Amino acid sequence: MIVVALGFVGCRNEGKGVTADGGDSGPEQFDIETINAYTPVKNQGRAPLCWAYAMLSAIETEHIMRGDSVHLSVKYAARALAEENFRRAYFTCGRGPHTMRATAQTLLDVIARHGLVAYDAYRDADAADYGVLMEKLRRTARKAVNTRLPLRRAEKLASAVIDETLGARPRHVFMLGARYTPEEFARSVCAPGEYIALTSFTHHPFYETFPLEVPDNWAQSEMLNVPVDTLMSRMERAVRRGRGVCWEGDTSEAGFSFDLGTARLPDGTDVSQAARQLAFERHETTDDHCMAVVGLARDKAGRLWFIMKNSWGTDNPYGGLMYVSGDYVRLKTVAVFMPRSAWEDRR
């Protein structure tokens, strides 16, 4: 094991928060039942990279709770996806998906294909404008196609464009007196197939996999479909056991407020399996944002809340964490990612 030192409403932090419920009474009080270790809360700014921040954070928590301190580079994963987008634009003459929005599964796929580096080896580019970067790469791809430039030369041009925004790509990770390639480092922190993607919708059979039909799943990644009761119980159990869990779901509801640090539904909201399906089919549940799940708490009425590590900075009552009600999670979850061993554990 390698050890290191420590568009939609949701994904980008636009510096806004919904404050319809709360007033001036101060932050809501919770009794924390479980809180797992996590790396410092970050701020993705306007970058549409919540999928990378959240899934990497889940992986970090998984390793920290095992006793291995890891802190991983979001920028490296973003660069790898930008490079893939350029190659896709080159071969499709600009007719493929060229977006930096994605699902948490995209992060796992990028790691499997390109490796990973530690945070200190390739720190976040806080001021990077990924929209501008993607437009530059699209223009570079069009020029390469129009001039019949071979792929290798075209990729060198694209790499130079990315370097201007993100800095040069690290070729090695140096640690404890040893040198590792990004691929070697990645295998030590997230092996291929180590995590499983779960979802819960009735337009596909339960306990079968299917590519969830949401815009950010342009890669057509498959997820295991399970009943919502199973999804909720396995998610809670994994968090209680200190496992790394990533949540992907809808943050467009009025009850989701970063300013208040809470996400809740109106009292009496139907959160049944049928209600989940109807909200999804009506496009009332949308795939907006990803967060890492780091704990569990109870409110004064004894209701369960999930503590999630957001990536919008620390300027809310809980230092950047979000308290998301169990009912909100039940109705508004699009997907959950956890170690396969946590899913398969029957204890």
Side-chain angles (χ1 to χ4, degrees):
M1 177 61 61
I2 299 170
V3 181
V4 302
L6 264 161
F8 285 96
V9 171
C11 189
R12 300 186 184 194
N13 180 8
E14 306 290 356
K16 299 177 181 176
V18 180
T19 57
D21 53 350
D24 298 322
S25 59
E28 189 165 351
Q29 299 299 309
F30 295 95
D31 290 325
I32 296 176
E33 291 189 348
T34 300
I35 188 71
N36 297 326
Y38 55 89
T39 51
V41 173
K42 299 179 179 67
N43 191 341
Q44 69 184 80
R46 296 181 61 83
L49 302 176
C50 61
W51 51 275
Y53 280 93
M55 192 65 233
L56 284 180
S57 183
I59 295 169
E60 290 165 348
T61 288
E62 174 73 13
H63 279 271
I64 295 170
M65 295 298 289
R66 294 181 194 171
D68 301 320
S69 176
V70 296
H71 198 184
L72 306 170
S73 172
V74 168
K75 189 170 70 168
Y76 185 90
R79 182 191 180 99
L81 183 59
E83 290 171 347
E84 288 189 356
N85 280 338
F86 173 80
R87 179 178 280 226
R88 191 177 299 111
Y90 174 90
F91 281 116
T92 64
C93 299
R95 290 190 292 272
H98 313 298
T99 175
M100 295 301 291
R101 287 187 61 96
T103 70
Q105 182 63 45
T106 305
L107 185 279
L108 299 172
D109 295 340
V110 163
I111 291 175
R113 291 191 292 264
H114 301 277
L116 193 61
V117 302
Y119 179 80
D120 286 340
Y122 207 41
R123 289 177 174 267
D124 294 349
D126 296 335
D129 189 325
Y130 285 91
V132 171
L133 174 61
M134 293 310 299
E135 181 55 35
K136 288 180 179 179
L137 290 175
R138 278 192 288 269
R139 291 200 301 265
T140 302
R142 285 197 297 267
K143 183 177 179 180
V145 170
N146 292 338
T147 59
R148 303 294 192 267
L149 200 65
L151 175 63
R152 183 165 297 183
R153 291 176 59 191
E155 287 184 324
K156 286 184 178 179
L157 292 178
S159 183
V161 170
I162 298 172
D163 286 351
E164 291 177 357
T165 299
L166 302 182
R169 176 184 183 271
R171 301 295 177 181
H172 298 94
V173 180
F174 296 90
M175 207 168 303
L176 302 177
R179 184 177 74 173
Y180 305 91
T181 66
E183 292 77 14
E184 290 169 337
F185 178 75
R187 286 193 293 272
S188 76
V189 295
C190 183
E194 183 175 345
Y195 285 79
I196 186 171
L198 307 169
T199 192
S200 180
F201 293 106
T202 58
H203 62 288
H204 290 277
F206 288 140
Y207 299 104
E208 294 185 11
T209 62
F210 74 98
L212 184 61
E213 303 93 336
V214 292
D216 286 349
N217 192 23
W218 45 263
Q220 294 293 286
S221 300
E222 300 234 332
M223 303 180 183
L224 178 64
N225 196 32
V226 300
V228 68
D229 287 342
T230 301
L231 183 71
M232 294 292 294
S233 64
R234 294 299 180 85
M235 183 179 175
E236 180 183 346
R237 186 181 69 176
V239 175
R240 290 192 187 280
R241 294 183 177 178
R243 308 306 301 269
V245 177
C246 179
W247 177 86
E248 188 164 334
D250 181 7
T251 58
S252 66
E253 297 298 310
F256 187 101
S257 170
F258 179 70
D259 285 352
L260 296 176
T262 56
R264 52 162 44 89
L265 299 173
D267 290 342
T269 299
D270 184 359
V271 295
S272 64
Q273 184 84 62
R276 270 184 58 81
Q277 187 67 29
L278 186 59
F280 187 69
E281 292 177 4
R282 289 177 172 175
H283 303 284
E284 296 168 356
T285 292
T286 48
D287 185 20
D288 300 334
H289 192 41
C290 295
M291 297 186 287
V293 189
V294 297
L296 300 166
R298 299 277 176 179
D299 62 17
K300 291 184 294 185
R303 293 169 296 203
L304 182 67
W305 294 65
F306 290 82
I307 307 172
M308 301 195 189
K309 177 190 172 188
N310 205 352
S311 51
W312 294 351
T314 59
D315 192 17
N316 82 353
Y318 308 107
L321 300 181
M322 292 289 301
Y323 284 72
V324 184
S325 75
D327 280 353
Y328 195 103
V329 173
R330 177 178 287 271
L331 186 65
K332 291 297 177 176
T333 295
V334 171
V336 171
F337 303 79
M338 68 178 64
R340 191 175 298 274
S341 60
W343 163 256
E344 294 174 348
D345 187 355
R346 302 301 182 188
R347 292 176 297 164

